[in-house]
Amino acid sequence: MQQIINFILRNKTFLTFLLLFGISLILIVQSHSYHKSKVVNSANFLSGGLYESTNAIKQFFNLRHENEVLLEENNRLKSLLFNNTNEIDSTVIDTNALAGNYKFTPASVYKNSYSASNNYLLVNKGQNDGVKQDFGVITSKGIVGIIDNTSANYATVQSILNTLSRINAKLKKSDHSGSLKWNTTSPEYVQLEDVNTFAPVTVGDTIITGGQSSIFPKGVPIGVVDSFEIDISGDTYIIQVKLFNDMTNIGHVYIIENVDLEEIRVLEESIDE
């Protein structure tokens, strides 16, 4: 202990310099958006490289499960292509609804948190692949989250299992919409709030994206109604939604780009003015 004290006393000037230098860097990053974005991008790059190495090992031992997932997805797609019936599986994304002004970029998930209050995923696509903030992220079964930050080759995704997440969603059968949130109770369920009590809600109803956002197209599957209750105001429902996706096991995703996003934003900003 005495040696530590002597070391601090001998080097107090240098240690004081390091402390003040660190504080100044923190203040610069917090007060300037440019410097903050550079720090975030650098962090994404470093963490992305680390998780890429660990993920490669994990994928090697998880090949059997990945093949089962891909086989299940191929079977669903084949059934849509070759089945003459008009009946569509509610867990499969309606490609007709997504056609038009949306581009899709496949990506692998290198990290996925689901047990915290504000969960994130790390994917292996970034600015070099045309990925930007506020792009949607889905799987073949439903929504996953929204791109939050990007570096050259990686991006972080704000999961739907995040208390900051707010996504427009609706009842498929009636078009009554609300706001999709997460109460941190379980990674299997999210909550659809602000749905008017005039809406005919029954257990098992399908919940999809509402299309009132420039991020997700209308009709992306989310889950089914597990239970519902009237909130304290007496005017709206709180609906428990069981997710189609197993958010604890996400390996491959699709990043959605709305080609008209910038045009829509410019128009919205002109209205706000």
Side-chain angles (χ1 to χ4, degrees), residues 3-4 11 14 45-46 61 66 80 82 90 99 108-109 129 133 143 151 166 178 192 200 208 210 223 242 254 265:
Q3 291 179 345
I4 296 175
N11 300 278
F14 179 69
F45 174 78
L46 293 173
F61 291 103
E66 293 293 335
L80 290 178
F82 300 112
S90 62
S108 295
V109 176
D129 307 286
Q133 189 179 43
I143 65 172
S151 62
R166 299 290 185 273
L192 182 60
I208 59 176
K242 182 172 177 57
Y254 300 97
R265 283 181 172 172

Side-chain angles (χ1 to χ4, degrees), residues 158-199:
Q158 184 186 79
S159 171
I160 56 173
L161 304 182
N162 190 307
T163 58
L164 302 177
S165 177
R166 299 290 185 273
I167 296 172
N168 174 252
K170 69 176 184 177
L171 292 159
K172 183 177 181 179
K173 72 176 184 180
S174 69
D175 283 344
H176 286 85
S177 64
S179 180
L180 198 72
K181 303 177 182 179
W182 188 54
N183 64 8
T184 75
T185 302
S186 169
E188 295 183 63
Y189 297 90
V190 291
Q191 292 69 47
L192 182 60
E193 301 181 359
D194 302 324
V195 177
N196 195 286
T197 51
F198 288 113

